[in-house]
Amino acid sequence: DGGITQSPKYLFRKEGQNVTLSCEQNLNHDAMYWYRQDPGQGLRLIYYSQIVNDFQKGDIAEGYSVSREKKESFPLTVTSAQKNPTAFYLCASSIASGSTDTQYFGPGTRLTVL
Amino acid sequence: AQSVTQLGSHVSVSEGALVLLRCNYSSSVPPYLFWYVQYPNQGLQLLLKYTSAATLVKGINGFEAEFKKSETSFHLTKPSAHMSDAAEYFCAVRGSNYKLTFGKGTLLTVNP
C-alpha cells in the first residue's frame, strides 16, 4: 500500500526535552511538508522540502528543525526552544511543488508536553 | 499573498438536509482551491480541487463545489447529509507559489 506513515500517533515528553517526529512516504513524491494544527487555527506550515538535501522554513519554523537525507523521509525535531509545542502535527507530500499538485496527508502525531 | 476565510466555525444540519460550507479566498493570482475533510484524530483527506478546468467541481462522497470568481468564493455543498459526513472541513488556496494556505476549518455536525 502506498501512503504516508507518521509515528508515533501519540507522544508525551517533558518540558525542555527535544523530540523527533517521524514521517515516511512510499509514494515517490519529491516534496514533503510539516504542518502544525491547533484547535480552531487551521493548519500552519512549519517546514517544507522540494528535493532531497534541501528544505525551507515555513510560516512558523522557530523552535523546529528538519532534515531531508532521503527522498522518502522527512523527520521533524521539536526543540526545547519551541515555547508551546503541544499540538497535532501533520506531515504531507506531493509529487512536486507545482500549483496544481495535491498534497496528501499522513495520519498525524499528537504531541503533548508535560 | 493569499488567504482563506471559512464562514462559520460550526455548522449543524439534520440528516438528509442540504450541507453548505462557505469559503472565500483572496489571491493575487488565479487561485487553485482545495477542500479537505478531517475525521477526529486523523489526517486530512482531499475532497475535491479546482484547477481552472471547470467551475463546478465534483468530489468524493457526493460533495461538490462551485468556483465563483466574481464573489471570490468556493463553497462546498452536498444535497443530502449523512451521519458519516460529520467531520471538520478545511478550505485551502494555493497561489503563485507551492504553499497551501488553510482556513480555520468548519466543524460539521449531523443530527439524526
Side-chain angles (χ1 to χ4, degrees), chain A residues 49-68:
Chain A
S49 168
Q50 296 172 271
I51 198 169
V52 174
N53 293 322
D54 186 48
F55 49 83
Q56 287 79 39
K57 294 181 179 180
D59 300 319
I60 56 164
E62 185 176 352
Y64 299 98
S65 66
V66 293
S67 63
R68 187 82 187 279

PDB file of all heavy atoms in Angstrom, chain A residues 49-68:
ATOM      1  N   SER A  49      10.096  20.753   2.030  1.00  0.00           N
ATOM      2  CA  SER A  49      11.275  20.320   1.273  1.00  0.00           C
ATOM      3  C   SER A  49      10.810  19.950  -0.132  1.00  0.00           C
ATOM      4  O   SER A  49       9.900  19.156  -0.308  1.00  0.00           O
ATOM      5  CB  SER A  49      11.921  19.117   1.948  1.00  0.00           C
ATOM      6  OG  SER A  49      12.884  18.524   1.109  1.00  0.00           O
ATOM      7  N   GLN A  50      11.464  20.525  -1.116  1.00  0.00           N
ATOM      8  CA  GLN A  50      11.090  20.245  -2.502  1.00  0.00           C
ATOM      9  C   GLN A  50      11.960  19.159  -3.117  1.00  0.00           C
ATOM     10  O   GLN A  50      11.611  18.581  -4.144  1.00  0.00           O
ATOM     11  CB  GLN A  50      11.195  21.522  -3.334  1.00  0.00           C
ATOM     12  CG  GLN A  50      10.222  22.606  -2.888  1.00  0.00           C
ATOM     13  CD  GLN A  50      10.473  23.927  -3.584  1.00  0.00           C
ATOM     14  OE1 GLN A  50      11.252  24.750  -3.118  1.00  0.00           O
ATOM     15  NE2 GLN A  50       9.804  24.137  -4.701  1.00  0.00           N
ATOM     16  N   ILE A  51      13.097  18.878  -2.459  1.00  0.00           N
ATOM     17  CA  ILE A  51      14.019  17.899  -3.011  1.00  0.00           C
ATOM     18  C   ILE A  51      14.950  17.438  -1.908  1.00  0.00           C
ATOM     19  O   ILE A  51      15.125  18.144  -0.897  1.00  0.00           O
ATOM     20  CB  ILE A  51      14.801  18.508  -4.197  1.00  0.00           C
ATOM     21  CG1 ILE A  51      15.436  17.431  -5.065  1.00  0.00           C
ATOM     22  CG2 ILE A  51      15.818  19.520  -3.703  1.00  0.00           C
ATOM     23  CD1 ILE A  51      15.986  17.969  -6.365  1.00  0.00           C
ATOM     24  N   VAL A  52      15.542  16.288  -2.089  1.00  0.00           N
ATOM     25  CA  VAL A  52      16.464  15.754  -1.083  1.00  0.00           C
ATOM     26  C   VAL A  52      17.587  16.749  -0.814  1.00  0.00           C
ATOM     27  O   VAL A  52      18.073  17.419  -1.723  1.00  0.00           O
ATOM     28  CB  VAL A  52      17.034  14.400  -1.560  1.00  0.00           C
ATOM     29  CG1 VAL A  52      18.101  13.882  -0.603  1.00  0.00           C
ATOM     30  CG2 VAL A  52      15.917  13.378  -1.690  1.00  0.00           C
ATOM     31  N   ASN A  53      17.968  16.817   0.462  1.00  0.00           N
ATOM     32  CA  ASN A  53      19.054  17.687   0.929  1.00  0.00           C
ATOM     33  C   ASN A  53      18.757  19.172   0.792  1.00  0.00           C
ATOM     34  O   ASN A  53      19.685  19.998   0.800  1.00  0.00           O
ATOM     35  CB  ASN A  53      20.369  17.365   0.204  1.00  0.00           C
ATOM     36  CG  ASN A  53      20.901  15.993   0.572  1.00  0.00           C
ATOM     37  OD1 ASN A  53      20.799  15.570   1.726  1.00  0.00           O
ATOM     38  ND2 ASN A  53      21.455  15.292  -0.398  1.00  0.00           N
ATOM     39  N   ASP A  54      17.493  19.505   0.703  1.00  0.00           N
ATOM     40  CA  ASP A  54      17.108  20.915   0.638  1.00  0.00           C
ATOM     41  C   ASP A  54      15.777  21.102   1.343  1.00  0.00           C
ATOM     42  O   ASP A  54      14.863  20.283   1.190  1.00  0.00           O
ATOM     43  CB  ASP A  54      16.982  21.378  -0.818  1.00  0.00           C
ATOM     44  CG  ASP A  54      16.734  22.870  -0.889  1.00  0.00           C
ATOM     45  OD1 ASP A  54      17.453  23.634  -0.222  1.00  0.00           O
ATOM     46  OD2 ASP A  54      15.801  23.271  -1.610  1.00  0.00           O
ATOM     47  N   PHE A  55      15.660  22.158   2.136  1.00  0.00           N
ATOM     48  CA  PHE A  55      14.395  22.461   2.800  1.00  0.00           C
ATOM     49  C   PHE A  55      14.347  23.952   3.120  1.00  0.00           C
ATOM     50  O   PHE A  55      15.387  24.627   3.173  1.00  0.00           O
ATOM     51  CB  PHE A  55      14.213  21.634   4.085  1.00  0.00           C
ATOM     52  CG  PHE A  55      15.394  21.643   5.019  1.00  0.00           C
ATOM     53  CD1 PHE A  55      15.581  22.686   5.920  1.00  0.00           C
ATOM     54  CD2 PHE A  55      16.312  20.596   5.001  1.00  0.00           C
ATOM     55  CE1 PHE A  55      16.661  22.690   6.788  1.00  0.00           C
ATOM     56  CE2 PHE A  55      17.396  20.588   5.865  1.00  0.00           C
ATOM     57  CZ  PHE A  55      17.575  21.636   6.754  1.00  0.00           C
ATOM     58  N   GLN A  56      13.127  24.445   3.301  1.00  0.00           N
ATOM     59  CA  GLN A  56      12.926  25.857   3.580  1.00  0.00           C
ATOM     60  C   GLN A  56      11.986  26.044   4.762  1.00  0.00           C
ATOM     61  O   GLN A  56      11.129  25.193   5.021  1.00  0.00           O
ATOM     62  CB  GLN A  56      12.326  26.583   2.364  1.00  0.00           C
ATOM     63  CG  GLN A  56      13.290  26.808   1.212  1.00  0.00           C
ATOM     64  CD  GLN A  56      13.477  25.569   0.372  1.00  0.00           C
ATOM     65  OE1 GLN A  56      12.518  24.848   0.126  1.00  0.00           O
ATOM     66  NE2 GLN A  56      14.697  25.313  -0.058  1.00  0.00           N
ATOM     67  N   LYS A  57      12.130  27.163   5.430  1.00  0.00           N
ATOM     68  CA  LYS A  57      11.249  27.494   6.536  1.00  0.00           C
ATOM     69  C   LYS A  57       9.863  27.866   6.023  1.00  0.00           C
ATOM     70  O   LYS A  57       9.721  28.512   4.990  1.00  0.00           O
ATOM     71  CB  LYS A  57      11.819  28.662   7.338  1.00  0.00           C
ATOM     72  CG  LYS A  57      13.115  28.339   8.067  1.00  0.00           C
ATOM     73  CD  LYS A  57      13.601  29.541   8.856  1.00  0.00           C
ATOM     74  CE  LYS A  57      14.886  29.212   9.612  1.00  0.00           C
ATOM     75  NZ  LYS A  57      15.386  30.376  10.383  1.00  0.00           N
ATOM     76  N   GLY A  58       8.868  27.454   6.796  1.00  0.00           N
ATOM     77  CA  GLY A  58       7.518  27.880   6.524  1.00  0.00           C
ATOM     78  C   GLY A  58       7.172  29.090   7.361  1.00  0.00           C
ATOM     79  O   GLY A  58       8.034  29.913   7.694  1.00  0.00           O
ATOM     80  N   ASP A  59       5.913  29.175   7.760  1.00  0.00           N
ATOM     81  CA  ASP A  59       5.438  30.361   8.473  1.00  0.00           C
ATOM     82  C   ASP A  59       5.772  30.359   9.963  1.00  0.00           C
ATOM     83  O   ASP A  59       5.812  31.412  10.594  1.00  0.00           O
ATOM     84  CB  ASP A  59       3.918  30.490   8.292  1.00  0.00           C
ATOM     85  CG  ASP A  59       3.535  30.618   6.828  1.00  0.00           C
ATOM     86  OD1 ASP A  59       4.258  31.344   6.098  1.00  0.00           O
ATOM     87  OD2 ASP A  59       2.547  29.997   6.410  1.00  0.00           O
ATOM     88  N   ILE A  60       5.988  29.174  10.534  1.00  0.00           N
ATOM     89  CA  ILE A  60       6.213  29.103  11.990  1.00  0.00           C
ATOM     90  C   ILE A  60       7.379  28.178  12.317  1.00  0.00           C
ATOM     91  O   ILE A  60       7.273  27.271  13.121  1.00  0.00           O
ATOM     92  CB  ILE A  60       4.932  28.646  12.724  1.00  0.00           C
ATOM     93  CG1 ILE A  60       4.431  27.303  12.166  1.00  0.00           C
ATOM     94  CG2 ILE A  60       3.830  29.694  12.627  1.00  0.00           C
ATOM     95  CD1 ILE A  60       3.415  26.624  13.080  1.00  0.00           C
ATOM     96  N   ALA A  61       8.534  28.396  11.719  1.00  0.00           N
ATOM     97  CA  ALA A  61       9.677  27.489  11.852  1.00  0.00           C
ATOM     98  C   ALA A  61      10.437  27.620  13.175  1.00  0.00           C
ATOM     99  O   ALA A  61      11.193  26.711  13.537  1.00  0.00           O
ATOM    100  CB  ALA A  61      10.640  27.720  10.694  1.00  0.00           C
ATOM    101  N   GLU A  62      10.253  28.684  13.905  1.00  0.00           N
ATOM    102  CA  GLU A  62      11.044  28.897  15.121  1.00  0.00           C
ATOM    103  C   GLU A  62      10.802  27.784  16.136  1.00  0.00           C
ATOM    104  O   GLU A  62       9.667  27.460  16.476  1.00  0.00           O
ATOM    105  CB  GLU A  62      10.695  30.245  15.747  1.00  0.00           C
ATOM    106  CG  GLU A  62      11.567  30.584  16.941  1.00  0.00           C
ATOM    107  CD  GLU A  62      11.277  31.968  17.500  1.00  0.00           C
ATOM    108  OE1 GLU A  62      10.513  32.724  16.878  1.00  0.00           O
ATOM    109  OE2 GLU A  62      11.832  32.282  18.575  1.00  0.00           O
ATOM    110  N   GLY A  63      11.913  27.192  16.615  1.00  0.00           N
ATOM    111  CA  GLY A  63      11.815  26.129  17.597  1.00  0.00           C
ATOM    112  C   GLY A  63      11.710  24.734  16.992  1.00  0.00           C
ATOM    113  O   GLY A  63      11.583  23.757  17.722  1.00  0.00           O
ATOM    114  N   TYR A  64      11.790  24.658  15.685  1.00  0.00           N
ATOM    115  CA  TYR A  64      11.718  23.375  14.971  1.00  0.00           C
ATOM    116  C   TYR A  64      12.939  23.215  14.071  1.00  0.00           C
ATOM    117  O   TYR A  64      13.546  24.196  13.654  1.00  0.00           O
ATOM    118  CB  TYR A  64      10.472  23.309  14.089  1.00  0.00           C
ATOM    119  CG  TYR A  64       9.160  23.423  14.821  1.00  0.00           C
ATOM    120  CD1 TYR A  64       8.491  24.645  14.894  1.00  0.00           C
ATOM    121  CD2 TYR A  64       8.581  22.320  15.432  1.00  0.00           C
ATOM    122  CE1 TYR A  64       7.289  24.757  15.556  1.00  0.00           C
ATOM    123  CE2 TYR A  64       7.364  22.424  16.094  1.00  0.00           C
ATOM    124  CZ  TYR A  64       6.722  23.647  16.157  1.00  0.00           C
ATOM    125  OH  TYR A  64       5.522  23.748  16.817  1.00  0.00           O
ATOM    126  N   SER A  65      13.291  21.952  13.771  1.00  0.00           N
ATOM    127  CA  SER A  65      14.320  21.682  12.783  1.00  0.00           C
ATOM    128  C   SER A  65      13.932  20.431  12.004  1.00  0.00           C
ATOM    129  O   SER A  65      13.157  19.596  12.486  1.00  0.00           O
ATOM    130  CB  SER A  65      15.694  21.505  13.436  1.00  0.00           C
ATOM    131  OG  SER A  65      15.707  20.346  14.244  1.00  0.00           O
ATOM    132  N   VAL A  66      14.458  20.316  10.771  1.00  0.00           N
ATOM    133  CA  VAL A  66      14.156  19.173   9.931  1.00  0.00           C
ATOM    134  C   VAL A  66      15.423  18.724   9.211  1.00  0.00           C
ATOM    135  O   VAL A  66      16.443  19.416   9.206  1.00  0.00           O
ATOM    136  CB  VAL A  66      13.079  19.507   8.865  1.00  0.00           C
ATOM    137  CG1 VAL A  66      11.731  19.784   9.510  1.00  0.00           C
ATOM    138  CG2 VAL A  66      13.537  20.677   7.992  1.00  0.00           C
ATOM    139  N   SER A  67      15.330  17.566   8.586  1.00  0.00           N
ATOM    140  CA  SER A  67      16.376  17.086   7.693  1.00  0.00           C
ATOM    141  C   SER A  67      15.694  16.348   6.550  1.00  0.00           C
ATOM    142  O   SER A  67      14.573  15.871   6.675  1.00  0.00           O
ATOM    143  CB  SER A  67      17.355  16.168   8.423  1.00  0.00           C
ATOM    144  OG  SER A  67      16.689  15.005   8.896  1.00  0.00           O
ATOM    145  N   ARG A  68      16.398  16.253   5.430  1.00  0.00           N
ATOM    146  CA  ARG A  68      15.848  15.519   4.283  1.00  0.00           C
ATOM    147  C   ARG A  68      17.013  14.803   3.599  1.00  0.00           C
ATOM    148  O   ARG A  68      17.479  15.162   2.532  1.00  0.00           O
ATOM    149  CB  ARG A  68      15.162  16.479   3.301  1.00  0.00           C
ATOM    150  CG  ARG A  68      14.429  15.751   2.174  1.00  0.00           C
ATOM    151  CD  ARG A  68      13.092  15.272   2.514  1.00  0.00           C
ATOM    152  NE  ARG A  68      12.453  14.455   1.513  1.00  0.00           N
ATOM    153  CZ  ARG A  68      11.821  14.913   0.419  1.00  0.00           C
ATOM    154  NH1 ARG A  68      11.800  16.204   0.159  1.00  0.00           N
ATOM    155  NH2 ARG A  68      11.234  14.073  -0.401  1.00  0.00           N
TER     156      ARG A  68
END
